[in-house]
Amino acid sequence: MATASSSLTTSSMFTFPPTYSFPPFFSPQPNAQTRSAQLSKWSSLVQSYCRHHRIFKLLLSDALESPLFHNSKLKRRLSAHDAKAVVDYMTSKEGDNRAEWIGPATEKASAWIWWRRPEEWAGVLEAWVDGTGQKGTVLTLYELVEGEATESQEFHGMDMEVLRKSLGTLVKKGKAQVFGGEGQEGVKFF
Amino acid sequence: MFFKQIDLTTALRPSLISGEELLFVQDGVGLYEGKYKIPDCQQGYAYLTSLRVYYVDEKEPRKNSVAFDLREVEKTDYQAGFLKSSPKITFHPKLPRDGHQSVRLADGRIAVEEGSSSFPGSRANSPRRYSSLSSPLPPSNATWICPICSFSNPVPSNFDPSNANASIPLPPCLACGIKPPLAVVLKAAVAAASKRILPQHPDEEFSGNANSTIDDPVQTETTITCPRCTFHNHVSLPACEICGAPLRSEQQHYPMANGGSKPRRAESPGPQLAELNLDDNAELASVKISFRAGGDKTFYDRLKGAMTQRKWLLQSAPSIPSPLSPSTTGDLDNETGLARTPITRPASTPVGIAGLERRGLEMRKNNEVVIGTAFEDLEALMASAKDIVALAEKFAIDSGRNAAETSSVFSESAAALGMVTTKDKLNSGSDNLYLSELSRNLAEYLTDDRTGVLRAEGGVMSLVDLWAVFNRSRNGVELVSPLDFHKAADLWGRLNLPVRLRRFKSGLLVVQRSDWNDDKTVQQFKTWLGQLQQIAPAEEVHWEWSLFGRGVSAQETAQRFGWSVGVAIEELEMAEDKGVLCREEGIEGLKFWSNFLVEVGSDAE
């Protein structure tokens, strides 16, 4: 989990949107309309950044130093307070529920960033399982995320928690079943 | 005595000549001519100055405002109010001083009068509707025959037989170009005037008794026969085509003289005239001002004061001779025998730098002398004023009178010294009038193009700044308290003056022109920031300046638009509220940018 959140090992550099170079982007706006526009832009920036770097869990203290919240070229950064406000916005309905705080709400230290929601992941998983004709077979979770067969897939290297969450949605829908002990879970798709 | 059209300032007050001093203002007055009300002039303000009396109408100030000069007033009467009629002050005009006095009465007739002012009872008996004719004064209809070529030339319209003397320029004859002797023109003018007067009295039998040899024009259905050359002219021609004799005789303007019905008596009380006649040539019998809201006593007192002082004579008086100043520089002595005022230059002007220096020296000496003499008296005055006011204060404290009495003592002492404040001029007690006059005064001061106060501040000025500047310009007298200032500023909107008070979100009050609104400011911002986008910034920046332009700080904005910094911040915040600008808080301070955050599609991915 820790590795995923701070990994920057990607092949290509992430291209920031032009707004990233707009200094007022980093200052909280008093005007309500401007503020909501600003927040939504931040939300999409965070999502695309995380998608590119395959970050599922955002640790705020680390993120403040990363290029995500800190534009060294422009010498502007988002303050901790403002970063929390951005993530709060993303957790809300307005922000499309793209984030979820981990742990008690009083200490907002890290959050899940749902650049793809668990339901959406479930759909991807299901599509792959269906496509490879593995319905009915039992797969371990480890195999799903780290197996060679899934290397080309998007969910390769996915965080275990996220996988579990998405499988959980499938279980609720009755499309899969999870069993097994800690560290060796298996899943069977119907 | 003539009514004159007046110039109103932007705040709809009369603009005074330099040297004219405002003595009193009163609202709720109406204007009468003779006995009759002048319509459209029944509700307005009367301004009394040292030279004139002005009437400014409340409803249509630019159309119905008039004035007349005090120098043309012979005497004034005061009439106290009785039952329903309000108190009135009557102004009787001066009569022209020669034997031939013709005064046009309110009913349009001309009465000839020698000496005494007994207007015949016929005037009171048959008041007529004032026909709005502008039948010219005697001279302009008269023609004089050139003694050389016998061509009939018109007498110039400004030729007044009563005031003519040898210095008046006479136009030469139109045919032969030779200037006539004065006597000829005089005779012609007088003859024409007397000829015109005679046919006017319908009740009398003058019409058959024509003194002149010239007959009146005869009018048939389609043509008029010229009295001089018997040519048949078209009915609508004013003068004969051949010889130029006037065709329109006054008879035609008074068809009633030829047996028409007796004019109706206007209904009382306060009979009205048909309209306000502002014709320069129309003389008035008398003018009355009716005071429907009080203030007549004070007005009358001030009026009497102004009439006795006769400030209008000062305008034509020669300048005060100043004492001989002994010349100290040796080379100006070509005219040592002459008395020199400090202002005149020496006759021999030395050339070169030495000359310039000497001139500068003289000017400085001049100034010294003038200022010195002026201030001697002023200091004496101020010293005694202070004493008296201090004395009054002491007495007040000693005898422990209450505040109202002490303030009355102050105002009395101030008035005794001639320091009349504006509050006194307005029958103090009527705060409203003081405030409305003050607010008009302020509006004039702001929109005055000579000083351009509002323009120098870029069109927007904070109220506090304006208060400071205004009081400073008063030079220590008649300062305005902040509360009065604020109240007067509030009245701008109500009085429809060209400036208005505007309140920002943070509570800052500013003064702005009425025709300027926020959208215009926003537009200005947009164009300015658009311009900045075109130009590369001075130092190396890390953002796409071609895309985003540049941020502006409040100081830059203030400098660009001429505002003060406080006003600039408010305007920027106002634009930010509208969503046109967005802010950036950085190490260098607060800057404002064009709002690219709300633009659609500016974000990749």
Side-chain angles (χ1 to χ4, degrees):
Chain A
M1 290 189 260
T3 52
S5 63
S6 55
S7 77
L8 290 172
T9 55
T10 46
S11 43
S12 58
M13 273 311 297
F14 176 65
T15 45
F16 285 96
T19 324
Y20 184 64
S21 323
F22 190 44
F25 195 44
F26 292 85
S27 312
Q29 298 294 324
N31 185 354
Q33 209 181 355
T34 323
R35 181 70 175 149
S36 60
Q38 185 188 31
L39 285 169
S40 75
K41 287 205 161 94
W42 267 116
S43 166
S44 39
L45 172 62
V46 168
Q47 284 176 56
S48 46
Y49 185 84
C50 291
R51 180 190 302 241
H52 189 262
H53 292 290
R54 319 243 342 133
I55 300 173
F56 294 90
K57 186 178 191 181
L58 196 67
L59 198 58
L60 229 56
S61 41
D62 284 349
L64 286 173
E65 292 303 319
S66 74
L68 174 61
F69 288 150
H70 172 61
N71 188 338
S72 48
K73 216 168 86 155
L74 214 51
K75 295 198 193 61
R76 296 264 185 276
R77 60 165 75 226
L78 211 58
S79 69
H81 178 81
D82 294 330
K84 277 193 195 153
V86 169
V87 179
D88 272 338
Y89 171 76
M90 287 171 76
T91 55
S92 69
K93 197 151 152 322
E94 264 170 39
D96 211 20
N97 290 34
R98 285 286 169 190
E100 205 180 306
W101 285 114
I102 302 171
T106 46
E107 44 149 290
K108 296 180 177 171
S110 49
W112 293 115
I113 303 294
W114 301 132
W115 45 275
R116 195 169 270 168
R117 285 210 206 90
E119 300 85 29
E120 290 155 4
W121 278 126
V124 174
L125 280 166
E126 208 186 331
W128 177 75
V129 162
D130 213 11
T132 52
Q134 287 182 317
K135 266 218 172 128
T137 59
V138 176
L139 300 156
T140 59
L141 297 194
Y142 183 79
E143 198 179 7
L144 274 177
V145 293
E146 300 289 340
E148 302 103 13
T150 62
E151 255 171 27
S152 56
Q153 291 302 312
E154 279 184 346
F155 48 83
H156 187 87
M158 198 163 71
D159 193 289
M160 277 297 181
E161 267 297 317
V162 179
L163 182 61
R164 280 198 206 103
K165 278 203 209 279
S166 48
L167 291 177
T169 54
L170 281 177
V171 167
K172 273 205 212 93
K173 280 200 251 180
K175 299 231 174 129
Q177 194 185 354
V178 180
F179 41 81
E182 275 298 324
Q184 287 161 12
E185 293 110 336
V187 62
K188 183 165 167 201
F189 294 88
F190 300 128
Chain B
M1 186 163 83
F2 307 141
F3 270 155
K4 290 195 176 84
Q5 263 294 9
I6 55 178
D7 283 329
L8 291 179
T9 66
T10 46
L12 307 173
R13 285 165 90 233
S15 63
L16 308 177
I17 310 169
S18 75
E20 192 176 355
E21 195 196 312
L22 182 63
L23 296 174
F24 192 69
V25 183
Q26 179 59 41
D27 58 347
V29 298
L31 208 53
Y32 286 63
E33 187 176 330
K35 270 172 44 171
Y36 314 117
K37 281 185 189 168
I38 302 179
D40 301 328
C41 287
Q42 289 306 306
Q43 198 179 355
Y45 298 82
Y47 289 77
L48 173 69
T49 70
S50 48
L51 298 177
R52 287 187 186 165
V53 174
Y54 296 84
Y55 169 83
V56 177
D57 192 45
E58 202 170 317
K59 296 205 197 83
E60 304 245 352
R62 299 225 178 250
K63 251 175 52 181
N64 293 332
S65 306
V66 292
F68 52 89
D69 283 327
L70 284 180
R71 79 177 86 187
E72 289 165 8
V73 173
E74 170 77 32
K75 72 184 183 84
T76 57
D77 279 333
Y78 176 73
Q79 210 178 315
F82 178 71
L83 293 182
K84 266 194 164 173
S85 76
S86 8
K88 296 185 176 53
I89 295 184
T90 316
F91 297 83
H92 296 287
K94 277 200 179 126
L95 303 168
R97 23 180 177 80
D98 68 327
H100 189 92
Q101 293 157 351
S102 57
V103 174
R104 188 175 288 269
L105 297 179
D107 54 1
R109 293 181 296 168
I110 299 184
V112 179
E113 176 195 306
E114 317 265 333
S116 71
S117 59
S118 59
F119 288 109
S122 53
R123 184 184 127 207
N125 285 344
S126 55
R128 257 182 230 184
R129 284 267 158 208
Y130 198 159
S131 51
S132 58
L133 78 117
S134 50
S135 181
L137 269 184
S140 67
N141 249 356
T143 58
W144 56 273
I145 312 284
C146 170
I148 310 234
C149 64
S150 66
F151 186 72
S152 64
N153 304 282
V155 172
S157 49
N158 58 358
F159 189 82
D160 185 0
S162 48
N163 288 339
N165 54 28
S167 64
I168 289 192
L170 296 166
C173 168
L174 294 170
C176 62
I178 307 220
K179 287 213 172 97
L182 181 66
V184 168
V185 186
L186 253 177
K187 254 194 263 183
V190 165
S194 57
K195 184 192 112 172
R196 188 178 303 112
I197 288 158
L198 292 174
Q200 295 325 307
H201 296 255
D203 308 333
E204 320 190 24
E205 284 132 19
F206 285 8
S207 42
N209 197 4
N211 284 346
S212 59
T213 52
I214 300 175
D215 292 325
D216 301 317
V218 174
Q219 184 179 13
T220 63
E221 283 304 311
T222 52
T223 60
I224 304 182
T225 312
C226 170
R228 203 182 289 155
C229 63
T230 68
F231 180 71
H232 289 277
N233 292 286
H234 192 266
V235 275
S236 41
L237 283 175
C240 175
E241 279 185 87
I242 305 292
C243 67
L247 290 180
R248 295 246 170 267
S249 87
E250 281 60 276
Q251 276 193 339
Q252 293 185 332
H253 293 285
Y254 298 89
M256 298 188 265
N258 298 330
S261 58
K262 203 103 180 182
R264 302 180 304 286
R265 192 191 180 86
E267 287 149 30
S268 57
Q272 288 200 357
L273 302 172
E275 62 179 42
L276 174 64
N277 188 340
L278 285 171
D279 195 349
D280 266 343
N281 295 330
E283 282 216 38
L284 309 164
S286 71
V287 175
K288 274 198 203 147
I289 298 187
S290 152
F291 292 84
R292 303 202 176 107
D296 43 296
K297 268 267 165 245
T298 340
F299 192 97
Y300 192 58
D301 291 335
R302 300 270 164 89
L303 177 64
K304 284 217 109 39
M307 294 284 289
T308 47
Q309 284 189 356
R310 296 212 191 115
K311 290 254 169 78
W312 52 85
L313 291 176
L314 285 179
Q315 289 189 327
S316 39
S319 58
I320 304 168
S322 65
L324 263 180
S325 55
S327 85
T328 52
T329 58
D331 49 341
L332 311 170
D333 286 344
N334 287 356
E335 288 92 21
T336 45
L338 288 177
R340 271 201 312 280
T341 67
I343 323 250
T344 55
R345 291 250 174 83
S348 66
T349 53
V351 294
I353 302 205
L356 289 172
E357 276 180 9
R358 256 178 242 123
R359 234 174 277 169
L361 194 59
E362 268 160 50
M363 268 197 313
R364 276 196 287 278
K365 279 213 198 78
N366 261 345
N367 292 344
E368 232 183 270
V369 168
V370 168
I371 293 176
T373 49
F375 277 136
E376 272 166 27
D377 295 331
L378 191 64
E379 276 163 16
L381 171 71
M382 289 316 284
S384 57
K386 256 198 268 182
D387 284 341
I388 294 181
V389 173
L391 210 58
E393 243 177 77
K394 205 162 58 127
F395 283 139
I397 296 172
D398 283 347
S399 58
R401 292 183 220 161
N402 58 15
E405 286 191 42
T406 51
S407 62
S408 70
V409 167
F410 285 150
S411 54
E412 271 173 38
S413 54
L417 290 168
M419 300 192 306
V420 182
T421 64
T422 313
K423 278 213 158 177
D424 293 341
K425 281 188 201 153
L426 301 177
N427 196 3
S428 63
S430 64
D431 255 345
N432 275 338
L433 191 54
Y434 171 60
L435 287 176
S436 66
E437 284 300 307
L438 182 62
S439 76
R440 287 186 208 273
N441 214 358
L442 281 175
E444 275 164 28
Y445 179 72
L446 277 172
T447 53
D448 190 2
D449 279 333
R450 283 173 295 164
T451 52
V453 167
L454 200 56
R455 214 163 10 113
E457 295 280 332
V460 186
M461 194 171 174
S462 78
L463 197 63
V464 185
D465 286 341
L466 179 62
W467 179 76
V469 172
F470 187 71
N471 274 338
R472 242 177 259 145
S473 74
R474 299 276 207 155
N475 285 330
V477 278
E478 289 229 31
L479 304 177
V480 181
S481 75
L483 187 60
D484 282 340
F485 201 81
H486 189 102
K487 282 195 210 155
D490 280 331
L491 283 178
W492 281 331
R494 233 173 15 96
L495 293 173
N496 282 332
L497 291 172
V499 290
R500 66 181 172 106
L501 195 63
R502 179 174 151 211
R503 191 188 189 85
F504 277 112
K505 197 176 50 152
S506 63
L508 177 69
L509 290 169
V510 294
V511 174
Q512 205 178 31
R513 282 162 51 110
S514 298
D515 53 357
W516 192 263
N517 56 10
D518 287 349
D519 291 330
K520 288 192 192 167
T521 317
V522 161
Q523 196 55 42
Q524 278 187 328
F525 277 142
K526 275 195 194 155
T527 40
W528 181 38
L529 287 171
Q531 279 169 8
L532 286 179
Q533 212 169 343
Q534 320 274 335
I535 318 165
E539 70 261 344
E540 178 65 30
V541 290
H542 303 288
W543 62 84
E544 269 301 321
W545 55 264
S546 58
L547 197 58
F548 296 128
R550 188 160 76 74
V552 290
S553 65
Q555 277 84 0
E556 282 172 19
T557 315
Q559 208 172 1
R560 152 102 181 169
F561 289 105
W563 298 329
S564 66
V565 178
V567 169
I569 293 181
E570 294 291 337
E571 295 281 8
L572 287 169
E573 281 181 3
M574 181 273 297
E576 187 187 26
D577 281 341
K578 289 208 183 285
V580 174
L581 298 182
C582 58
R583 69 166 62 196
E584 174 220 345
E585 278 161 40
I587 311 170
E588 299 121 23
L590 186 60
K591 283 196 176 177
F592 286 86
W593 296 68
S594 274
N595 196 353
F596 289 105
L597 289 176
V598 290
E599 272 171 26
V600 180
S602 73
D603 224 12
E605 189 157 3

